[in-house]
Amino acid sequence: MKRHLAVALVALLLVSLWSFASVRAEDFPRNETIYTANSAPPTSANPFQGGNIIGIDGLVFEPLFMLNFMTTELKPWLAEYGKWVDSTTYEVKLREGTKWQDGKPLTAEDVKFSFEYYEKLGLKKFEGLSEIKVVDDRTVRFIFSGQPNVWVWDQNLYSVLIIPKHIFENLDPEKVKTMTFTGDDKKYLVGSGAYRLKEVVEQQKSILERNEDWWGAKYFNKPAAKYIIQLYVSSNDQAANMFLKGDLDVATYYLDIAELKKQNPNIVSWLDKEPYFPPVVPVVLYFNTQHEPMNMPAFRKAIAMAINPEQIVQQGPISAVPDQTPLGPIMQGWKDKIGAKDLINEYGWKYGDLQDAMKILDQLGIKDTDGDGIREYNGKPLELHFVTCSGCSDWIQAGEIIANQLKPLGIKVVIDKGDWTNFFMQKLNSGDFDLALHWAGTFKPDPYSVYYNLMYYKNETDKGAANFGNYHNERANELLQKLAATPNADEQVEYLKELTQIWLQEVPAVPVYTGTVFYEANTQYWKNWPNEKNPYGVPIFWPGFGTWGTALAMLGVEPAQTPTPSETTGSPGGTTTTTGGGGGICGPAALLLLAAVPLLLRRRR
């Protein structure tokens, strides 16, 4: 028995050594290689759907514009410019010299083909678009039959990757949907970007190699890193260990930045102090406005006043204190334009104002008539049900704090928990709840999308995707319709001001804390990572976010030291760690039912 056990252990050791050797089979100069990681192994380089390799979108295939999600700004990329030449015609002019990685020119024909191909894939439906007209090799016009939604159109400018017509015109869109573009199919990955896919090592890593003949070097400078290697790092513990040893340069993991910095001062994040992680968008407390007494704006405002976000931030999830609008820190530029501070002062509420909140409920006739500490409404104790998913410990924790904050107000809050799909989302979508937390409506790239998702309501089947509380205001609908139609900046500001005023007066939902994204970088080998003071790129190093600003971040880093010939090491991968679950936090894929979104809301220890 002992002999068999010894043989088994030796076999296991040999397998481990073989695996480690295979990871290190090809060496890369450390000062020419950026190492990032993902919690799933790289298996697909599909640029359209299902891909899980960082940079296929943005670094291999490029859009007309890049979005910087941290500033909500669009940066011309393949496009020299894009503009509305009249109310129904959008013109794009390509930069001079754009070309594919096989040397063929990238032209307006490729742009036209790409937009049409996305429709054939079933990934896009361009409402009202009647014609895509190629004017010349560098100019294309998108012509609409009616008034287009200018905000939705802007989203297409960075979410549609431009693909080579001479490659994809012979590929069946139905077949393309399921291709991984690895192995023999890798030959079709002919992009225009600064990197090309060199190799995918199954269950271990993917390797991007710099395109030495990138057209964009003329406009954006040549990328500093020759290689970008994405490792399969399954746990937070493993990632932390690799950061400490200098084996990882940048990633999106649930790590304790303060503790890491004590052991390795080269570790940085978005902020230089707690919470370190970048605050992006508010998590809001939804009211079911179809349930009494939450159909009354004054009642909703009383609850908003009784909530104390500072306490939630101190005792709950790692986060930041929000203001009263649903527009998070990423939209500070828009908030400055509409004068959000002045609007809050005039129409908003003061958080943690329990005394005035009690006065409002008294004025509404919602009082504690029997002296048991709970107010009565229509002769019954006022009891509200807060629904959440049983695995969302961050939301459960925040919900418990909110329940305790509303107790002195005379409101009893019961927390109901269940699984994500069949309980939580079912409750939200069916309107079977009183209170709930979510950020589906605020994790958006522009203020129109935030207000549309949270406030638009015509009927049960025609409403904003995140209007779980079925809030309805006809004036808000009118403003959203006008806002959708105008590219005029002054008009946009005026409509957004009034929408913000309605939000503050009507309180469809309450921002209770600002959620953060996980982000850690190492300056040992690479510097100039994006941060609060230099937000040139987006700190979301996750597949599918390349055109949201991850590509901008990868292209903006610089070597931390002068390269020396001796600085060559094997690929990281031999780090001994413990594997941690990292569970108990509301998972990204479940939240929006989209590709994994790393807006994970970290719980305090």
Side-chain angles (χ1 to χ4, degrees):
M1 180 68 182
K2 290 182 178 179
R3 182 183 177 188
H4 289 308
L5 179 60
V7 170
L9 290 172
V10 170
L12 181 61
L13 178 61
L14 289 173
V15 170
S16 299
L17 289 173
W18 177 85
S19 298
F20 177 59
S22 67
V23 173
R24 300 178 64 97
E26 187 172 3
D27 289 346
F28 300 88
R30 188 63 181 89
N31 51 26
E32 294 183 1
T33 307
I34 291 175
Y35 284 98
T36 186
N38 192 19
S39 56
T43 56
S44 174
N46 192 310
F48 305 107
Q49 61 180 20
N52 63 354
I53 295 175
I54 298 169
I56 294 298
D57 58 324
L59 293 176
V60 177
F61 292 94
E62 300 174 301
L64 294 172
F65 287 73
M66 291 279 194
L67 171 70
N68 184 338
F69 182 66
M70 298 306 289
T71 62
T72 70
E73 296 172 338
L74 285 177
K75 181 181 180 70
W77 203 254
L78 286 170
E80 181 178 292
Y81 69 76
K83 64 181 181 181
W84 292 98
V85 293
D86 59 47
S87 63
T88 58
T89 305
Y90 189 84
E91 181 178 279
V92 169
K93 184 88 165 182
L94 292 173
R95 293 186 189 273
E96 187 174 355
T98 54
K99 64 180 178 179
W100 298 106
Q101 292 169 350
D102 61 6
K104 296 184 184 299
L106 187 160
T107 70
E109 286 288 351
D110 294 304
V111 175
K112 171 178 163 59
F113 174 81
S114 300
F115 276 76
E116 293 172 344
Y117 202 77
Y118 267 77
E119 286 202 307
K120 291 176 182 178
L121 287 166
L123 298 177
K124 291 284 186 180
K125 183 172 177 60
F126 305 110
E127 295 288 345
L129 182 62
S130 60
E131 182 185 0
I132 303 177
K133 182 179 180 180
V134 173
V135 179
D136 56 42
D137 280 351
R138 292 177 53 208
T139 311
V140 60
R141 286 189 168 184
F142 299 88
I143 302 169
F144 293 82
S145 58
Q147 180 62 58
N149 186 319
V150 298
W151 303 85
V152 172
W153 179 247
D154 278 353
Q155 293 172 22
N156 294 320
L157 298 176
Y158 63 83
S159 61
V160 172
L161 300 173
I162 306 305
I163 57 175
K165 179 179 178 180
H166 67 279
I167 299 290
F168 282 86
E169 65 182 343
N170 298 317
L171 289 178
D172 180 3
E174 288 302 313
K175 179 183 177 183
V176 165
K177 288 180 182 179
T178 59
M179 290 170 61
T180 64
F181 290 87
T182 58
D184 292 340
D185 291 340
K186 187 164 72 73
K187 63 187 177 185
Y188 300 119
L189 283 183
V190 179
S192 60
Y195 289 85
R196 65 181 84 225
L197 181 63
K198 177 179 175 65
E199 185 181 0
V200 176
V201 181
E202 189 175 354
Q203 294 295 311
Q204 294 174 20
K205 62 183 176 180
S206 62
I207 305 165
L208 299 184
E209 184 177 22
R210 188 172 58 207
N211 173 15
E212 301 296 347
D213 194 28
W214 180 42
W215 68 271
K218 172 183 176 181
Y219 300 96
F220 309 113
N221 296 323
K222 179 181 176 180
K226 185 173 182 179
Y227 303 101
I228 298 175
I229 296 181
Q230 175 184 322
L231 302 172
Y232 169 34
V233 178
S234 62
S235 76
N236 297 319
D237 289 344
Q238 186 182 4
N241 202 347
M242 294 176 73
F243 269 109
L244 290 176
K245 294 181 67 175
D247 288 344
L248 272 182
D249 296 307
V250 68
T252 298
Y253 280 85
Y254 165 27
L255 305 181
D256 191 327
I257 301 296
E259 286 301 315
L260 284 178
K261 288 177 73 68
K262 291 178 183 177
Q263 300 177 63
N264 184 347
N266 293 315
I267 303 300
V268 296
S269 188
W270 188 259
L271 305 175
D272 57 11
K273 58 184 178 181
E274 291 282 2
Y276 291 109
F277 295 132
V280 283
V281 298
V283 174
V284 300
L285 179 69
Y286 280 91
F287 300 105
N288 188 334
T289 64
Q290 303 298 306
H291 287 187
E292 295 184 0
M294 287 168 296
N295 60 332
M296 296 186 288
F299 179 83
R300 300 194 296 264
K301 182 165 280 192
I303 288 184
M305 294 167 67
I307 289 174
N308 185 346
E310 289 190 8
Q311 185 183 26
I312 294 173
V313 169
Q314 291 169 0
Q315 300 177 5
I318 297 277
S319 54
V321 176
D323 64 23
Q324 291 87 336
T325 76
L327 308 177
I330 63 170
M331 295 189 193
Q332 189 57 53
W334 280 105
K335 292 201 285 189
D336 291 342
K337 290 178 184 177
I338 67 174
K341 286 185 178 179
D342 292 337
L343 291 171
I344 290 169
N345 290 336
E346 186 170 356
Y347 303 108
W349 61 89
K350 181 182 176 183
Y351 283 117
D353 189 356
L354 185 62
Q355 294 303 314
D356 282 345
M358 296 174 78
K359 290 178 183 177
I360 290 175
L361 294 189
D362 289 342
Q363 291 168 0
L364 291 174
I366 305 174
K367 301 179 179 180
D368 177 14
T369 58
D370 58 10
D372 65 351
I374 305 297
R375 294 173 184 263
E376 283 77 44
Y377 181 74
N378 287 341
K380 296 180 180 179
L382 184 51
E383 180 177 293
L384 302 181
H385 284 256
F386 173 95
V387 301
T388 189
C389 69
S390 54
C392 299
S393 63
D394 47 350
W395 288 355
I396 293 172
Q397 189 180 30
E400 291 171 346
I401 296 171
I402 291 169
N404 287 331
Q405 291 177 347
L406 296 184
K407 190 175 181 179
L409 187 60
I411 298 175
K412 180 180 180 180
V413 176
V414 177
I415 297 178
D416 299 327
K417 296 170 284 189
D419 71 90
W420 177 269
T421 303
N422 297 316
F423 177 81
F424 179 56
M425 289 309 300
Q426 191 276 331
K427 292 277 188 183
L428 286 187
N429 290 324
S430 65
D432 186 16
F433 73 98
D434 295 319
L435 304 171
L437 289 177
H438 215 306
W439 47 260
T442 59
F443 193 77
K444 302 295 176 184
D446 58 73
Y448 164 82
S449 297
V450 171
Y451 281 125
Y452 179 87
N453 277 275
L454 291 172
M455 297 177 72
Y456 176 74
Y457 185 94
K458 282 290 186 182
N459 53 58
E460 190 57 39
T461 59
D462 183 13
K463 65 178 183 177
N467 188 355
F468 301 122
N470 290 323
Y471 170 77
H472 177 219
N473 182 297
E474 200 54 44
R475 178 57 181 166
N477 289 346
E478 293 173 8
L479 290 167
L480 287 165
Q481 186 175 5
K482 291 180 179 180
L483 182 59
T486 180
N488 183 284
D490 292 336
E491 291 178 357
Q492 289 175 348
V493 166
E494 289 306 310
Y495 298 144
L496 287 169
K497 279 174 108 172
E498 190 172 349
L499 282 166
T500 304
Q501 177 183 334
I502 292 172
W503 172 275
L504 294 169
Q505 291 176 318
E506 296 269 309
V507 201
V510 183
V512 295
Y513 65 89
T514 304
T516 60
V517 293
F518 296 163
Y519 165 53
E520 47 276 330
N522 191 338
T523 61
Q524 182 176 351
Y525 296 100
W526 300 96
K527 64 181 181 179
N528 197 43
W529 296 105
N531 57 41
E532 180 186 31
K533 298 174 183 176
N534 186 21
Y536 70 87
V538 172
I540 303 177
F541 294 89
W542 206 268
F545 282 84
T547 65
W548 284 52
T550 303
L552 296 175
M554 286 295 197
L555 294 171
V557 296
E558 303 168 357
Q561 52 194 334
T562 304
T564 58
S566 61
E567 282 196 79
T568 303
T569 67
S571 301
T575 308
T576 302
T577 65
T578 59
T579 55
I585 296 174
C586 230
L591 283 174
L592 295 182
L593 302 180
L594 296 172
V597 180
L599 190 72
L600 306 176
L601 307 168
R602 182 181 176 193
R603 182 175 183 174
R604 289 187 182 274
R605 295 180 178 178

